[in-house]
Amino acid sequence: MKVYIASDHAGYELKEAIKKQFSNLYEWEDFGTHSTESVDYPDFAHPLAEAVSQDANARAILICGTGNGVAITANKHANVRAALCWNKEIAALARQHNNANVLVMPARFIEQATAFTLVETFFATEFEGGRHERRVQKINL
Ligand code: RB5
């Protein structure tokens, strides 16, 4: 499965750790950044979100310091449902209830092991549909 991934400088090290940890499971398309040099998160979140917007079945990961900058940016794009997750339950619910297609993580506020658990959970959990389908359909303007 191909997974889009991007971060700013605050998320760079976690992005690289995730790519390495799951290299046998996913084919990564890395939208950057490619170092810890300070950058502006929209420059990386927008291109990733545009790719997700064009591909209904896309799966993606965005990381910045708090997660909020990249989440706010990505959610400007139609069909993008970027969910800020910091524990396993929220990652599961983001899939079950929100059919989230972008896992967003706050690199400065979670341990690396937690991030790995969030990735595993997010990609292993299916959307429940049913009443949640109606709600998700109402998101796009
Ligand atoms: C970078 O210092 C920081 O502002 C960014 O990673 C993110 O937390 C913004 O929302």
Side-chain angles (χ1 to χ4, degrees), residues 15-45:
K15 172 169 71 69
E16 295 305 305
I18 288 168
K19 281 165 51 187
K20 189 173 169 196
Q21 177 73 9
F22 297 98
S23 61
N24 57 335
L25 288 179
Y26 307 125
E27 179 194 341
W28 299 106
E29 183 164 339
D30 189 342
F31 286 75
T33 187
H34 299 293
S35 77
T36 55
E37 184 181 342
S38 183
V39 291
D40 299 334
Y41 56 80
D43 293 341
F44 303 90

Side-chain angles (χ1 to χ4, degrees), residues 81 97-99 127 132-139:
R81 293 176 298 280
H97 288 190
N98 311 116
N99 200 14
F127 179 45
H132 302 295
E133 178 68 47
R134 183 181 68 244
R135 294 164 185 167
V136 168
Q137 289 298 330
K138 289 183 177 182
I139 292 174

Side-chain angles (χ1 to χ4, degrees), residues 63-141:
I63 310 166
C64 69
T66 63
N68 274 323
V70 290
I72 291 167
T73 304
N75 281 320
K76 293 283 184 188
H77 295 252
N79 305 316
V80 171
R81 293 176 298 280
L84 177 57
C85 300
W86 58 93
N87 69 34
K88 186 175 175 172
E89 291 73 22
I90 290 171
L93 286 165
R95 290 287 310 128
Q96 290 166 346
H97 288 190
N98 311 116
N99 200 14
N101 48 18
V102 183
L103 168 62
V104 182
M105 292 182 284
R108 289 180 173 152
F109 296 90
I110 57 173
E111 300 295 328
Q112 186 181 94
T114 302
F116 291 167
T117 299
L118 299 184
V119 172
E120 287 166 1
T121 302
F122 190 83
F123 289 109
T125 307
E126 296 295 327
F127 179 45
E128 283 181 2
R131 69 188 188 280
H132 302 295
E133 178 68 47
R134 183 181 68 244
R135 294 164 185 167
V136 168
Q137 289 298 330
K138 289 183 177 182
I139 292 174
N140 270 345
L141 295 172

